[in-house]
Amino acid sequence: MSTMTLNPVCSPRRVAESRRPAVRSSASGPVGSPVRVTARGRALLLGLVLLVLVTSAVLLTGTGTARAGFDRPPGSHAGAPALTSGARVTVRPGETVWQIAQRIAPGADPRETVADLLRVNALQTADVRPGMALLLP
């Protein structure tokens, strides 16, 4: 007959116990342990802070004359078109002189406004390019 020996280190009971998750008792460490922030977490937090700062700066300074399409002198009212002498309008991509005339003088006859725009800006034709600054009549 043959003999069989059992190794106590590899017994089925010890293997099952070693596979159980370790339960941490409250006595083994502080309950409110500090949170560790990884490098990725720090980069994310920094990005969020920068996003908030840039957004705040843009909103507070009111930059972007493209919101109405007008170049205004300092101190002019932001809600009304700048129709003072020296006021300009910037041509948007795909925009025509007719559309500009309708935008700057919505209640007036566009034909008269187009003629005034061409005369004031010394334009021979109604061809305009995006980004071109036109003086307002």
Side-chain angles (χ1 to χ4, degrees), residues 63-80:
T63 59
T65 56
R67 103 183 129 222
F70 295 102
D71 296 331
R72 296 186 198 334
S76 65
H77 187 270

Side-chain angles (χ1 to χ4, degrees), residues 92-114:
R92 298 175 185 163
E95 195 171 35
T96 64
V97 177
W98 186 271
Q99 293 168 334
I100 294 170
Q102 289 177 330
R103 184 176 58 161
I104 63 172
D109 184 7
R111 294 173 291 193
E112 292 176 11
T113 310
V114 167

Side-chain angles (χ1 to χ4, degrees), residues 4-120:
M4 185 156 112
T5 60
L6 292 174
N7 187 353
V9 175
C10 294
S11 68
R13 176 191 249 176
R14 289 198 180 210
V15 170
E17 288 176 358
S18 67
R19 290 185 183 162
R20 284 189 213 152
V23 178
R24 186 174 176 182
S25 65
S26 61
S28 64
V31 176
S33 61
V35 176
R36 289 181 11 178
V37 180
T38 62
R40 183 183 292 172
R42 283 190 296 272
L44 179 67
L45 287 174
L46 178 65
L48 287 174
V49 168
L50 288 175
L51 178 69
V52 168
L53 289 175
V54 169
T55 304
S56 300
V58 168
L59 291 176
L60 291 176
T61 58
T63 59
T65 56
R67 103 183 129 222
F70 295 102
D71 296 331
R72 296 186 198 334
S76 65
H77 187 270
L83 297 177
T84 60
S85 62
R88 297 178 185 267
V89 65
T90 304
V91 179
R92 298 175 185 163
E95 195 171 35
T96 64
V97 177
W98 186 271
Q99 293 168 334
I100 294 170
Q102 289 177 330
R103 184 176 58 161
I104 63 172
D109 184 7
R111 294 173 291 193
E112 292 176 11
T113 310
V114 167
D116 291 339
L117 277 170
L118 295 176
R119 180 183 45 78
V120 168

